[in-house]
Amino acid sequence: RRWSTRVDGTPIGDLLLQGDTVVLRVDPASLLGLDQRDGRKRWQHRLDPGASEPVRLDAAHIVIAGFNGGVAVIRTRDGSLLWHQPVAGRMQRPIADASGVVLVSTVGEVTSFASSDGRLQWRRNIAVGDAVDPVAWRDQVVVASSRSRLVFLNRGDGSSSVTLTLPAAPTHL
């Protein structure tokens, strides 16, 4: 069965299907939860400008960076807030799973929060400059920066396992 619904603004990014809720980012700065069956709006939250794409945490929750100056976990069924933590600077799209929520901010910090309650697990300043979205690799968080650096951090405690500086690309042939 098909449906359509009117939203205030322009849909941006990808739709996220979470249970029977469709999660949608809308410009300017909103996050919507729509009923998958009929498109009816279940909930809406205001976001900070430049908020990340929502990321699936588990079958019932999503994570969004750029929510009231921080990161938040939201129940997708009703839009209620499980937890929120302030974070300095603009944040990249987080990594989220049962072991934690990890994100990189523009002030060069990598922060890990407990998925269940938002408790700070660890924070490291790695001064990477403009970083791209972090990625999970085995038991590591990998952060790539515009300064041609790759930083590998232990997912459990944030300790640095290795930092690689990549050679600069040739400027001419």
Side-chain angles (χ1 to χ4, degrees):
R1 185 169 183 198
R2 297 179 187 213
W3 52 262
S4 65
T5 192
R6 186 173 294 275
V7 295
D8 297 327
T10 304
I12 55 175
D14 296 327
L15 296 174
L16 178 61
L17 181 58
Q18 183 78 342
D20 63 354
T21 303
V22 176
V23 180
L24 170 69
R25 273 185 57 216
V26 177
D27 191 27
S30 287
L31 187 67
L32 299 175
L34 306 174
D35 189 304
Q36 178 192 7
R37 294 176 301 254
D38 58 14
R40 181 181 47 85
K41 181 168 57 171
R42 289 186 171 167
W43 50 265
Q44 180 172 358
H45 288 290
R46 300 292 304 158
L47 299 175
D48 302 338
S52 75
E53 291 287 322
V55 174
R56 181 184 320 272
L57 173 59
D58 57 31
H61 300 92
I62 58 169
V63 178
I64 187 85
F67 183 92
N68 292 330
V71 61
V73 172
I74 297 170
R75 287 183 186 93
T76 52
R77 178 80 175 126
D78 62 8
S80 61
L81 191 64
L82 180 63
W83 59 261
H84 171 268
Q85 288 292 343
V87 176
R90 193 173 66 76
M91 293 149 277
Q92 302 296 337
R93 183 177 180 157
I95 299 170
D97 61 24
S99 68
V101 174
V102 179
L103 56 98
V104 179
S105 73
T106 55
V107 297
E109 287 185 340
V110 182
T111 308
S112 176
F113 298 101
S115 298
S116 60
D117 60 8
R119 176 183 34 84
L120 178 67
Q121 293 180 319
W122 52 264
R123 177 176 285 137
R124 299 290 178 265
N125 188 326
I126 59 171
V128 294
D130 295 331
V132 297
D133 296 345
V135 295
W137 180 68
R138 298 184 180 171
D139 63 345
Q140 304 285 307
V141 173
V142 182
V143 181
S145 79
S146 61
R147 296 180 184 158
S148 299
R149 290 178 57 204
L150 288 176
V151 179
F152 293 76
L153 300 173
N154 179 290
R155 182 80 187 260
D157 64 9
S159 60
S160 178
S161 58
V162 68
T163 299
L164 302 173
T165 301
L166 305 174
T171 57
H172 63 283
L173 295 176

